Amino acid sequence: MTTVGLLYPGHAAEDDFPRIEVMIDSDIRLPLFHTETGEDAHDIASLRAAGAPERLSAGVEELRLAGAESLVWASTNGSFVYGWEGAYEQVADLARAAGLPASSTSFAFAHAVGELGAGRVAVASIDPVDVAPLFTGFLEAAGIEVVSARDAGPGPAVSATEAAAWTPEQVKELVTAADHPDAEVVLLPCTALHTAGYVPELEELLGKPVLTANQVTVWEGLRLVERRVWAPTLGTLFATREPPPGAVENRGIEVRE
């Protein structure tokens, strides 16, 4: 049995995770703790508040009692909004509080791109114009080139509640609009979007690997405990046993105390 503890902000697409448990069809457990988020908004101040240490540490003991062997903060914008160094400190604090290896969805994306041996990506974001570039900067700090990036524009961002109601057709339109011929992988960074059930469809549509937030979150938790799982229904990321030749080296963040 392998148990990955997840800290998930509020309520939106958290039902992706029990679905992933079923799709993996193995001895993997994904217990989840809902952290407080405050206002359902994607402005920088609200996102930084959602990722504050006291909010993340609130779920540590419950997940430890559930047998978690690793912890992942299942929020992309709630981690990259701190920048690379700040996001590192965020998961370092979490790891110290839990006494377990810890990470976040932002680092999961960086590591997953490296796992696929890719260096150029397109980003299909629903964050507003002042937030989305922070993810680009985070990826660039990991040595990843962002050749195309879509954001929600200058108006109000799509809230987590609204994103959770998106249909597969809307998500397909989003990734198609964000894709670029030079991109080796397309990233869909919002953990509020339901995507677990149709990653292979997105990959077939674009003709390249697609990494989605909830997919990479689970993969990252398993990576932290050196557990590899074969589950092609979750896309190319789960259909590889070993990193390909020339894969980008992962930057470790498995902080333990």
Side-chain angles (χ1 to χ4, degrees), residues 71-166:
L71 292 179
V72 184
W73 165 224
S75 174
T76 316
N77 53 24
S79 47
F80 72 69
V81 74
Y82 285 88
W84 181 276
E85 297 301 329
Y88 181 95
E89 289 303 316
Q90 183 186 57
V91 296
D93 288 343
L94 180 59
R96 283 189 285 267
L100 297 169
S103 189
S104 66
T105 304
S106 291
F107 283 112
F109 273 110
H111 293 157
V113 170
E115 173 80 2
L116 297 178
R120 299 184 305 278
V121 305
V123 177
S125 175
I126 61 172
D127 284 320
V129 68
D130 60 333
V131 174
L134 300 179
F135 187 44
T136 296
F138 185 93
L139 295 171
E140 290 173 345
I144 298 167
E145 181 183 356
V146 178
V147 298
S148 174
R150 175 183 171 125
D151 57 50
V158 177
S159 69
T161 302
E162 292 169 330
W166 275 33

Side-chain angles (χ1 to χ4, degrees), residues 4-249:
V4 174
L6 303 173
L7 296 164
Y8 188 87
H11 296 266
E14 68 271 19
D15 50 330
D16 258 7
F17 295 108
R19 184 168 191 168
I20 290 173
E21 271 194 16
V22 173
M23 294 170 73
I24 290 176
D25 191 24
S26 184
D27 60 339
I28 306 294
R29 292 182 60 245
L30 304 172
L32 183 147
F33 179 89
H34 296 275
T35 65
E36 293 293 331
T37 60
E39 185 180 359
D40 184 9
H42 285 196
D43 61 86
I44 292 175
S46 296
L47 294 171
R48 289 180 66 90
E54 61 272 17
R55 290 189 172 178
L56 301 193
S57 63
V60 165
E61 187 59 25
E62 181 173 318
L63 293 175
R64 281 172 56 90
L65 292 174
E69 298 163 59
S70 64
L71 292 179
V72 184
W73 165 224
S75 174
T76 316
N77 53 24
S79 47
F80 72 69
V81 74
Y82 285 88
W84 181 276
E85 297 301 329
Y88 181 95
E89 289 303 316
Q90 183 186 57
V91 296
D93 288 343
L94 180 59
R96 283 189 285 267
L100 297 169
S103 189
S104 66
T105 304
S106 291
F107 283 112
F109 273 110
H111 293 157
V113 170
E115 173 80 2
L116 297 178
R120 299 184 305 278
V121 305
V123 177
S125 175
I126 61 172
D127 284 320
V129 68
D130 60 333
V131 174
L134 300 179
F135 187 44
T136 296
F138 185 93
L139 295 171
E140 290 173 345
I144 298 167
E145 181 183 356
V146 178
V147 298
S148 174
R150 175 183 171 125
D151 57 50
V158 177
S159 69
T161 302
E162 292 169 330
W166 275 33
T167 66
E169 288 68 31
Q170 287 175 290
V171 175
K172 289 175 183 177
E173 290 177 6
L174 176 66
V175 297
T176 300
D179 191 19
H180 188 280
D182 292 339
E184 300 165 279
V185 183
V186 176
L187 279 51
L188 194 59
C190 184
T191 58
L193 290 171
H194 288 90
T195 56
Y198 54 95
V199 176
E201 289 183 47
L202 296 175
E203 295 188 332
E204 183 177 1
L205 174 66
L206 301 182
K208 63 186 66 174
V210 174
L211 297 176
T212 72
N214 295 338
Q215 168 215 42
V216 301
T217 296
V218 173
W219 177 86
E220 178 77 345
L222 295 171
R223 186 190 72 83
L224 289 174
V225 294
E226 300 182 349
R227 176 71 188 271
R228 287 188 173 271
V229 174
W230 174 261
T233 54
L234 286 169
T236 302
L237 182 63
F238 278 85
T240 58
R241 292 287 189 180
E242 298 292 340
V248 178
E249 182 180 357

